Amino acid sequence: MNKLTLAIIPITALILSLASGIASAVPVQSVTATSMAFDSPTTVRIKYRQDVNDYVFAGAFNTKASDTSGSFLAWCVDIFQSTFFGKSITDFDRQTASTALLASKTDALTSLATQSLGKVNNSLTSAAFQLAIWEIANETNSVYGFTTGAFRAFDASDESIALATQWLNGLPTVSGVSAYSISILESSGYQDLAVFTEVPEPSSIAVLFAGLIGFAMTRRKFLK
């Protein structure tokens, strides 16, 4: 195996890992939700059959994890357990959404993110995105809405339910190229959290790959 091939193999592996995300569950030493992402978060009443019926905050969390640097946005996918701001939780595993959720739900969530995540910039849009995640993750049929089915939402303090309904109604009926991958921070004792990571466009990956191959070939030429 020549030096060029040796150089290309790890580059290819890196690109594939960026495109596909984490392949299996990985323990995370600590996860800390520090605050709601936006001030004056939306309150909304959510209901799931006879198991959940309560008023909650809806929206993204500012979150830190020991396996990443800096802070990132995380979204609740688990309506049955609680989270606590400022508390470091040590029983999380990070895994792909396709491992933690049904394939159909993963497709719907990636479609939702591709369509709407870029529009999240305040408490209203953050709440709408969170409500749409809850509906997709917890509904037991493929018809999304907040007035029928297993998961319901009422009495929001803003227009977030209407906006979430609009976004859900706009989901494509066939899967396309997603702009995001999803990892799930899963805990046995606390809320499971979804983290959306932007995926490079195929053209960008191709340009990066071509540039790296060119660099490797040039380096090989000078090493001769």
Side-chain angles (χ1 to χ4, degrees), residues 26-32 66 87-93 186-190:
V26 178
V28 182
Q29 291 182 352
S30 68
V31 174
T32 306
S66 58
K87 182 175 182 179
S88 179
I89 311 301
T90 59
D91 73 336
F92 276 95
D93 289 333
E186 192 171 65
S187 166
S188 60
Y190 298 88

Side-chain angles (χ1 to χ4, degrees), residues 108-193:
L109 287 171
T110 52
S111 295
L112 173 70
T114 300
Q115 168 193 270
S116 304
L117 185 52
K119 302 172 185 176
V120 173
N121 57 13
N122 55 30
S123 60
L124 167 63
T125 50
S126 180
F129 195 78
Q130 177 63 84
L131 284 165
I133 290 173
W134 279 333
E135 172 64 15
I136 291 169
N138 295 285
E139 190 52 77
T140 55
N141 59 55
S142 58
V143 179
Y144 297 131
F146 298 104
T147 59
T148 60
F151 180 83
R152 312 281 184 95
F154 316 87
D155 301 335
S157 57
D158 54 26
E159 299 301 317
S160 55
I161 292 176
L163 181 56
T165 301
Q166 177 184 325
W167 287 350
L168 288 168
N169 289 340
L171 292 181
T173 55
V174 280
S175 298
V177 177
S178 174
Y180 293 87
S181 64
I182 312 171
S183 62
I184 303 294
L185 291 167
E186 192 171 65
S187 166
S188 60
Y190 298 88
Q191 284 180 355
D192 298 340
L193 303 174

Side-chain angles (χ1 to χ4, degrees), residues 7-88:
I8 291 174
I9 287 176
I11 292 168
T12 306
L14 171 62
I15 292 172
L16 290 175
S17 69
L18 288 172
S20 62
I22 300 168
S24 58
V26 178
V28 182
Q29 291 182 352
S30 68
V31 174
T32 306
T34 58
S35 64
M36 299 297 294
F38 297 95
D39 293 334
S40 302
T42 297
T43 57
V44 61
R45 178 184 166 203
I46 62 172
K47 184 177 181 181
Y48 184 87
R49 294 178 174 169
Q50 305 305 314
D51 302 309
V52 175
N53 188 351
D54 204 358
Y55 282 90
V56 297
F57 286 133
F61 303 150
N62 290 316
T63 309
K64 295 181 179 180
S66 58
D67 64 342
T68 59
S69 60
S71 182
F72 56 90
L73 294 184
W75 306 82
C76 171
V77 292
D78 176 6
I79 59 174
F80 303 104
Q81 294 175 305
S82 300
T83 195
F84 299 93
F85 291 143
K87 182 175 182 179
S88 179

